[in-house]
Amino acid sequence: MNLESALPEIIREATGTASPLRRCTPVGGGCINKASRIDLDDGRSFFLKSNPRALPRLFESEAEGLRALRQAGCLRVPEVVATGGGRDGLPHFILMECIAAGRPGPGFYEKFGRGFAQLHQQALADQFGFENDNYLGSTPQPNQWTSDWVRFFRRHRLGHQLKMARRNGLSDPQMDRLGQRLLDRLEDWIGHPDEPPGLLHGDLWGGNYLCDDRGDPVLIDPAAYYGRGEADLAMTQLFGGFDSSFYPAYEEVHPSAPGSQDRLEIYKLYHLLNHLNLFGRSYFSGCMRILRRYGG
Ligand code: ADP
């Protein structure tokens, strides 16, 4: 059976309301998966992503991240309807609320910055990590609960990516040496201030939010975990940054402590190492620039 013909039953089971499928329209713009808008005869619409060769639990972990972010109630997040597939000839899939697109309203980035800061202040966990491992793009992201932030970031973030770079033949002896020194001295750089775990989107760049038809921001495609907010803020700054009004609005709600510029560089390194591992050597020099400064 193909996914399209299975959808009415999947939707009936998940929502309790049956309707025939009217249309299935491909949506472009995704990096990895096939995306479609699903319209039913009864007027409801959904957003579907599918992939016959999805990585193990890829869509389930996306659903867990979306649910956690939505539950926090700080910014709009699509409601997950169902995940499944991977047997009976069905591709793996995630089905969620379809977000009608609009144009950023006045104060879009202020609202976004404030909501993002509120998310980081959600004291919903007493350790760093997440309920399950997930993915950063297609890189496995370990999330084992850890009481100490520096230990968590050393082992499950920077150490994990550095090990992968070595295994993938993308590092060199100098990167390995500087990386190890940075790991050894991480406490000096990111040990303070002592902030409790907050909920992070985990991969917030320009392609991972939408603007809905009310002109409000919507978070998609998370690599969610409980961590320190600056680790999330760093990704927003990595490739050109968001509109300049985003940052003062963030600061208003969640003011940064002295030393944040250095910490942000180290948090950016995690994402740059991930890009090195995903996309190759063109990210090597960007990684080395930060490693020389903080591991040298
Ligand atoms: P991928 O996981 O393959 O990177 P995305 O999650 O980025 O796919 O989705 C592909 C595109 O579909 C996005 O660029 C966005 O424009 C659109 N999109 C994502 N989620 C929704 C949604 N819930 N409702 C409507 N459109 C969406």
Side-chain angles (χ1 to χ4, degrees), residues 161-210:
Q161 292 283 351
L162 285 163
K163 207 188 289 173
M164 252 187 315
R166 205 163 44 241
R167 216 182 288 143
N168 294 339
L170 290 161
S171 69
D172 68 5
Q174 197 192 10
M175 175 178 267
D176 295 344
R177 189 168 46 76
L178 293 173
Q180 188 52 52
R181 283 202 55 180
L182 175 58
L183 295 181
D184 292 342
R185 299 172 53 195
L186 205 54
E187 178 75 43
D188 299 343
W189 292 117
I190 64 164
H192 298 279
D194 187 15
E195 258 183 38
L199 183 56
L200 312 191
H201 175 283
D203 192 15
L204 188 63
W205 63 287
N208 281 348
Y209 68 86
L210 306 173

Side-chain angles (χ1 to χ4, degrees), residues 2-12 19-27 34-50 81 93-99:
N2 71 25
L3 186 52
E4 238 174 81
S5 43
L7 273 177
E9 180 53 20
I10 290 167
I11 292 171
R12 190 199 60 76
S19 169
L21 190 88
R22 171 171 299 172
R23 245 190 330 262
C24 176
T25 317
V27 176
K34 185 178 160 199
S36 321
R37 179 193 162 108
I38 305 298
D39 291 293
L40 303 185
D41 273 356
D42 66 4
R44 287 181 294 163
S45 52
F46 298 92
F47 178 77
L48 175 74
K49 280 203 291 191
S50 66
V81 176
F93 71 87
I94 181 169
L95 183 72
M96 66 183 88
E97 178 186 357
C98 186
I99 304 295

Side-chain angles (χ1 to χ4, degrees), residues 22-285:
R22 171 171 299 172
R23 245 190 330 262
C24 176
T25 317
V27 176
C31 306
I32 307 166
N33 307 297
K34 185 178 160 199
S36 321
R37 179 193 162 108
I38 305 298
D39 291 293
L40 303 185
D41 273 356
D42 66 4
R44 287 181 294 163
S45 52
F46 298 92
F47 178 77
L48 175 74
K49 280 203 291 191
S50 66
N51 188 338
R53 284 175 299 280
L55 292 158
R57 294 198 80 256
L58 178 84
F59 291 132
E60 285 74 11
S61 65
E62 180 175 344
E64 286 161 2
L66 288 169
R67 287 192 181 110
L69 292 167
R70 185 176 160 83
Q71 220 163 8
C74 303
L75 287 163
R76 188 171 179 200
V77 178
E79 183 175 15
V80 177
V81 176
T83 57
R87 54 198 162 91
D88 304 329
L90 286 186
H92 298 271
F93 71 87
I94 181 169
L95 183 72
M96 66 183 88
E97 178 186 357
C98 186
I99 304 295
R103 288 164 154 266
F108 175 87
Y109 282 101
E110 283 92 336
K111 191 168 184 180
F112 197 177
R114 275 196 301 275
F116 198 48
Q118 281 156 2
L119 186 67
H120 295 163
Q121 291 181 329
Q122 296 300 301
L124 298 164
D126 52 9
Q127 296 199 71
F128 300 98
F130 200 55
E131 55 193 86
N132 283 302
D133 294 345
N134 50 21
Y135 293 91
L136 180 61
S138 55
T139 305
Q141 178 169 261
N143 291 319
Q144 193 176 64
W145 291 114
T146 307
S147 57
D148 180 79
W149 171 244
V150 178
R151 202 148 36 91
F152 178 82
F153 206 76
R154 180 187 291 124
R155 176 150 188 211
H156 300 302
R157 294 295 179 263
L158 285 185
H160 169 68
Q161 292 283 351
L162 285 163
K163 207 188 289 173
M164 252 187 315
R166 205 163 44 241
R167 216 182 288 143
N168 294 339
L170 290 161
S171 69
D172 68 5
Q174 197 192 10
M175 175 178 267
D176 295 344
R177 189 168 46 76
L178 293 173
Q180 188 52 52
R181 283 202 55 180
L182 175 58
L183 295 181
D184 292 342
R185 299 172 53 195
L186 205 54
E187 178 75 43
D188 299 343
W189 292 117
I190 64 164
H192 298 279
D194 187 15
E195 258 183 38
L199 183 56
L200 312 191
H201 175 283
D203 192 15
L204 188 63
W205 63 287
N208 281 348
Y209 68 86
L210 306 173
C211 175
D212 71 13
D213 54 356
R214 289 174 305 198
D216 288 335
V218 184
L219 296 175
I220 57 168
D221 250 357
Y225 66 102
Y226 294 92
R228 292 216 174 129
E230 283 172 343
D232 223 5
L233 206 53
M235 184 57 179
T236 70
Q237 296 182 357
L238 196 54
F239 301 112
F242 286 15
D243 185 272
S244 60
S245 59
F246 178 89
Y247 298 99
Y250 181 94
E251 282 275 321
E252 230 174 73
V253 177
H254 192 83
S256 62
S260 73
Q261 283 316 316
D262 289 324
R263 292 190 296 275
L264 284 168
E265 289 300 297
I266 288 167
Y267 295 137
K268 282 179 200 168
L269 177 61
Y270 173 59
H271 288 280
L272 283 171
L273 285 167
N274 187 50
H275 276 67
L276 174 70
N277 282 312
L278 286 176
F279 308 118
R281 289 283 289 194
S282 58
Y283 288 93
F284 182 82
S285 61

